[in-house]
Amino acid sequence: SPDFIKIDGSLIKNIKDKNFYNTIRAIKNFAQNIGSEVIAEFVEDEEILKLIKELNIEYSQGYYFSAPKLIKEFYGGI
């Protein structure tokens, strides 16, 4: 089984909708059953982060934390 399952931002950005929330919960349950951790993309605000935490999703990424960065910003011009 994969180490991680990444949930696409098209689902996460709509997590406030009950149907999307339930779909994301099902993905999380599936991942847990096969021993994978979950990454949620497109975490844009505190409300989305709260719902992600509620579902016990292990990792989050998105503009709420940081804008995407070029590799050279971290490693000095690779």
Side-chain angles (χ1 to χ4, degrees):
S1 65
D3 294 329
F4 299 96
I5 294 176
K6 186 180 276 194
I7 301 177
D8 188 71
S10 63
L11 294 172
I12 299 297
K13 71 181 180 179
N14 291 299
I15 194 172
K16 298 169 192 174
D17 177 284
K18 182 181 176 186
N19 292 323
F20 283 91
Y21 181 91
N22 289 333
T23 300
I24 294 164
R25 182 174 57 204
I27 293 168
K28 169 59 181 165
N29 289 339
F30 169 75
Q32 188 172 352
N33 287 337
I34 65 168
S36 299
E37 293 182 303
V38 176
I39 303 167
E41 1 178 75
F42 212 90
V43 177
E44 299 291 303
D45 58 41
E46 192 170 351
E47 187 177 357
I48 292 174
L49 180 61
K50 177 181 172 273
L51 294 169
I52 293 300
K53 287 181 178 181
E54 188 176 287
L55 292 171
N56 296 313
I57 292 175
E58 294 86 357
Y59 299 93
S60 300
Q61 64 186 85
Y63 281 102
Y64 182 71
F65 305 104
S66 174
K69 305 236 185 279
L70 294 170
I71 295 294
K72 68 182 180 180
E73 291 180 47
F74 292 103
Y75 297 107
I78 289 180

